[in-house]
Amino acid sequence: MDTAPPSPLPGTSAATVPTDRHRRRVATAAALASAVEWYDYFVFGIAAALVLGDLYFPAGSASAGVLAAFATFAVGFLARPVGGIIAGQLGDKRGRKPMLVLALTLMGVATAGIGLLPTYETIGIAAPVLLVLLRVMQGIAVGAQWGGAMLMATEYAPEGKRGLYGSLVQLGVPIGVVTANTVFLAAGALTDDATFASWGWRVPFFVGFLVLVLAWYIHTRVEETPEFREAERALAEQEKSETPSPLGTILRKHLGTVFLAGGSFAVNTATFYIIITGVLDYSTRELGMERSAVLTVSLCVSLTQLALIPASAALSDRIGRLKIYAFGAVGLLVWAVPLFLLIDTKSLLWLAVGTFVTSCFLSIMYGPQAALFAELFTAEMRYTGASLGYQIAAVFGGGLAPFVMVLLLEATGTSMAVSGYIIGLAVIALVSIRILAKRAAARA
């Protein structure tokens, strides 16, 4: 479908070569930044599936409370393009590092704030309002973070290893899921149901304070990427001639590429949030499965991604991004129906099998995705373009997926409707990938 990606990122030339030690430091910092950001983001999704509906949206049926909590979960996704646009503009002009530090600081404050937030019973309508505002802050933060962490890793990558280095940032997702589930399992194990609903669920959010420590470390110990420093000189000349901003250039000349990137990725992010939050709600509330057992399955399945994501990324360095990416999308299309047939057995074993296979296909797509999106845009507009493509997918895929899943289950009474939703997004992904492949072939 495509050839192996070219050596240089588009629009760049050789820059000062950093030492291997510094490359490793930057890659580690970017991976940690991604992990803690996603941890903070995912604890909200787990809490939304388990407790937030009753505590912050108590009126109506259980389904209505869950829908309200998942709607608040989705609000964070709606805010992510805002974070991507703001950080993209500034990151393409002022640097990757300062935007990453800012994103980490904002996420730490928002997450800790949710952990401290009084419930509806205590402060009334102010509770859900403040919850939504803090979730918006989380969305802006994660929208700003991904582009900064991804570019810190890929723009420091050695020759021929951009996919592998980019996958270190992608590992933040399974690490975030594993740690979030682990902390929730620990909180549940150390408290009874009443205590967990009272304050035990808050403990995972207090980890947000640690994000501020990492932000300080990156600010003081990590340097700006060589490729940005080189692009910065070109930007200085552009500003003299009043060249349009990175966002303006993207909107005028590269909007199609942004939408194709988003279309190619929506099935991945939607399916991911379906299996880590939607299935958690469905299996416990509708199928009557035990909460701790389902969380344990989610934790174990996410551990497998730690090996598969870098493996698929490394393979993409050898045979090309789009071939690997398309294989994962085909797998999600084919497996969408078996996934829910297995879950509906109410067997923990078959739930694990279904979500494990799904996770494999998600990992195959997610590994090369950072390098793929980086290579779609030149250095002076890369933060903006890659972030927009990613966050558009996050809004129309991940953010709405758990909410859409509950609506589909309520409207149809069958989980096959959710399978159809995944299949539709997979078709969109394959069409987008095909067009991107044709464009790559035309440029070759």
Side-chain angles (χ1 to χ4, degrees), residues 40 44 56 105-119 127 130-131 133-135 137-138 201-202 205-209 212:
D40 285 356
F44 191 100
Y56 291 92
T105 303
L106 185 62
M107 179 62 86
V109 171
T111 303
I114 293 171
L116 296 170
L117 184 64
T119 64
L130 290 173
L131 183 66
L133 290 176
L134 289 169
R135 182 59 178 171
M137 287 177 61
Q138 280 193 319
W201 68 271
R202 297 180 182 274
F205 287 89
F206 295 149
V207 178
F209 287 115
L212 302 177

Side-chain angles (χ1 to χ4, degrees), residues 417-439:
V418 185
S419 297
Y421 173 57
I422 295 173
I423 289 170
L425 291 175
V427 171
I428 293 172
L430 290 170
V431 171
S432 299
I433 292 168
R434 182 61 179 170
I435 296 173
L436 287 172
K438 287 183 176 180
R439 290 186 174 186

Side-chain angles (χ1 to χ4, degrees), residues 349-368:
L349 173 62
W350 290 121
L351 170 70
V353 171
T355 53
F356 168 73
V357 175
T358 305
S359 180
C360 289
F361 291 125
L362 291 174
S363 300
I364 289 168
M365 284 190 75
Y366 201 58

Side-chain angles (χ1 to χ4, degrees), residues 65-395:
V66 172
L67 279 171
F70 278 157
T72 305
F73 179 67
V75 164
F77 286 82
L78 294 175
R80 281 169 61 169
V82 176
I85 290 171
I86 295 172
Q89 281 283 92
L90 296 175
D92 280 331
K93 287 188 172 183
R94 306 301 177 209
R96 303 2 179 159
K97 188 182 83 169
M99 292 303 100
L100 181 57
V101 171
L102 180 62
L104 287 168
T105 303
L106 185 62
M107 179 62 86
V109 171
T111 303
I114 293 171
L116 296 170
L117 184 64
T119 64
Y120 186 93
E121 184 178 1
T122 304
I123 60 173
I125 193 64
V129 171
L130 290 173
L131 183 66
V132 170
L133 290 176
L134 289 169
R135 182 59 178 171
V136 168
M137 287 177 61
Q138 280 193 319
I140 292 173
V142 83
Q145 172 273 145
W146 181 80
M150 178 270 290
L151 292 178
M152 290 292 289
T154 57
E155 291 185 348
Y156 263 108
E159 195 68 38
K161 293 186 178 181
R162 193 175 305 122
L164 179 60
Y165 268 60
S167 73
L168 297 178
V169 174
Q170 307 296 73
L171 286 176
V173 171
I175 292 172
V177 173
V178 168
T179 51
N181 278 287
T182 299
V183 175
F184 263 102
L185 281 169
L190 296 173
T191 60
D192 56 31
D193 288 346
T195 306
F196 180 82
S198 175
W199 59 265
W201 68 271
R202 297 180 182 274
V203 174
F205 287 89
F206 295 149
V207 178
F209 287 115
L210 299 178
V211 180
L212 302 177
V213 177
L214 181 60
W216 174 84
Y217 174 84
I218 293 175
H219 176 67
T220 58
R221 299 295 301 277
V222 174
E223 297 178 5
E224 189 55 78
T225 70
E227 288 187 10
F228 174 77
R229 290 199 299 268
E230 184 170 333
E232 193 174 28
R233 290 191 289 270
L235 285 169
E237 295 301 320
Q238 290 177 2
E239 289 177 357
K240 291 177 183 178
S241 59
E242 298 184 352
T243 300
S245 68
L247 179 60
T249 303
I250 288 289
L251 294 178
R252 288 188 303 107
K253 298 182 179 180
H254 303 284
L255 191 58
T257 302
V258 168
F259 282 117
L260 287 172
S264 74
F265 188 61
V267 66
N268 186 287
T269 187
T271 307
F272 174 77
Y273 284 102
I274 283 172
I275 67 170
I276 70 161
T277 57
V279 168
L280 176 60
D281 167 63
Y282 176 62
S283 60
T284 54
R285 183 170 58 86
E286 297 287 343
L287 302 183
M289 300 178 74
E290 187 182 352
R291 179 186 67 199
S292 61
V294 176
L295 282 171
T296 301
V297 167
S298 179
L299 186 155
C300 293
V301 166
S302 296
L303 286 172
T304 64
Q305 294 185 304
L306 298 178
L308 287 172
I309 286 175
S312 65
L315 186 59
S316 79
D317 282 328
R318 297 172 61 87
I319 69 173
R321 319 286 182 216
L322 291 173
K323 289 179 181 177
I324 304 298
Y325 208 57
F327 181 81
V330 170
L332 292 177
L333 185 152
V334 172
W335 191 247
V337 170
L339 168 63
F340 278 96
L341 290 177
L342 292 173
I343 292 172
D344 286 342
T345 65
K346 303 181 183 181
S347 162
L348 196 64
L349 173 62
W350 290 121
L351 170 70
V353 171
T355 53
F356 168 73
V357 175
T358 305
S359 180
C360 289
F361 291 125
L362 291 174
S363 300
I364 289 168
M365 284 190 75
Y366 201 58
Q369 185 249 346
L372 173 63
F373 278 28
E375 291 165 351
L376 292 175
F377 305 95
T378 56
E380 63 272 12
M381 68 183 75
R382 186 173 296 142
Y383 202 138
T384 303
S387 293
L388 274 178
Y390 188 101
Q391 304 311 336
I392 285 173
V395 171

